């Protein structure tokens, strides 16, 4: 997401923004959190989950594949 005038260096994204960033559904993102596959920040019980861009980028890097990976098995 591009920086906005009020958040020039946005580091934390809400659930919908994080799901959009990863090109997955909000449901799948919540499932990743529930299964321990993606860390989140929460300032208190009942507050929204926030996702660090660094963690989202790390998730992307861990799930990259090449054509060789797909056909090696």
């Amino acid at each position: 997401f591009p920086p906005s005038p009020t958040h020039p260096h946005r580091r934390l994204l809400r659930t919908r923004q994080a799901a959009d960033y990863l090109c997955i559904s909000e449901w799948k993102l919540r499932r990743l959190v529930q299964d321990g596959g993606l860390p989140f920040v929460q300032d208190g019980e009942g507050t929204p989950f926030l996702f660090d861009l660094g963690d989202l980028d790390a998730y992307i890097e861990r799930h990259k594949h090449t054509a060789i990976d797909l056909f090696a098995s």
Side-chain angles (χ1 to χ4, degrees):
F1 292 95
S4 70
T6 56
H7 296 93
H9 302 287
R10 182 171 290 171
R11 178 175 170 181
L12 298 175
L13 301 178
R14 288 178 167 248
T15 302
R16 180 177 303 206
Q17 295 167 318
D20 288 345
Y21 187 83
L22 295 176
C23 299
I24 61 175
S25 68
E26 289 182 57
W27 181 88
K28 183 167 182 172
L29 181 68
R30 288 186 182 99
R31 186 61 180 233
L32 285 170
V33 168
Q34 180 182 354
D35 293 344
L38 193 60
F40 64 94
V41 176
Q42 191 175 29
D43 194 28
E45 192 172 328
T47 60
F49 287 3
L50 300 173
F51 298 89
D52 188 312
L53 278 174
D55 294 328
L56 299 177
D57 288 337
Y59 176 85
I60 291 168
E61 291 302 316
R62 287 192 310 269
H63 290 85
K64 282 186 178 178
H65 298 281
T66 65
I68 294 171
D69 296 336
L70 294 174
F71 299 111
S73 352

